[in-house]
Amino acid sequence: LVQSEAQIATNEENIITAQANLANAADALRQLVNLPNGEIWDKEIRPVTDAQTEHIAINVADAIRTAFERRPDIRSQQIAVERFRIDSEFFRGQKKPQLDLSVAYNLNGVGPDLSASTREVNRLDFPGWTGRLHLAVPIQNRAARAQSVIADIDYAKAKLQLDSLRNQIFTEVRTAARGVDTAAKQIDAAKASRNFQTQNLDAERKKYENGMSTSFEITRIQSDLTLARSREVSAIVQYR
């Protein structure tokens, strides 16, 4: 009798907790479907189907390829690598000698007066060409060399960060795929546990009917069955 009363007290405590969790879950669902505030929030939400899901097969190689192609963080890092590569090439070029060629074309008028000179320009009588080469050879050129070294380091660092990010994404996808597979197996294990608990309860009821068990034992097995059903639903939710 004392054991039964203790079990009743424990069950009542669990009921209070379960009712609060149920109300919180219902409010979370109302929020997710964006229900307007008002009386509809006081309506009961009652599931009409059992929690179930279909197992899916994940191709890890395809998933990794999709992540490499579509994830914005890796795309952003690829752009950064390209930018640092351009900077590296630019500053490397700044260390080299510089040769500039400038060419000019002009028309001249050599007439005795402005009118005659204008006519000669219009007739293209005296075209002129000028060309110039300017060679600059840097001596020491410490600033350019320092900038080139810094740019090379930034480029190498960006490539290492890209490789690190690829490894991180590779690991994340494999972990996620493994998690899906594990969750699917947990569903099967929880379903098997629920079936065994159901059979156990049926067997215990037959023993009780034949005077070989007690109501306390029936209640205990019913609790075990309820927990098994709860674990099965939780496993399905986790899998989805």
Side-chain angles (χ1 to χ4, degrees), residues 105 107-110 116-128:
Y105 171 76
L107 298 172
N108 301 308
V110 298
S117 297
T118 301
R119 287 195 300 269
E120 291 170 349
V121 170
N122 291 334
R123 292 196 303 264
L124 310 180
D125 290 341
F126 301 101

Side-chain angles (χ1 to χ4, degrees), residues 31-32 58 87 119 130 140 207 211-212 226:
Q31 181 182 11
L32 284 173
I58 296 180
D87 289 345
R119 287 195 300 269
T130 58
Q140 296 297 329
K207 289 171 61 178
M212 301 173 62
T226 299

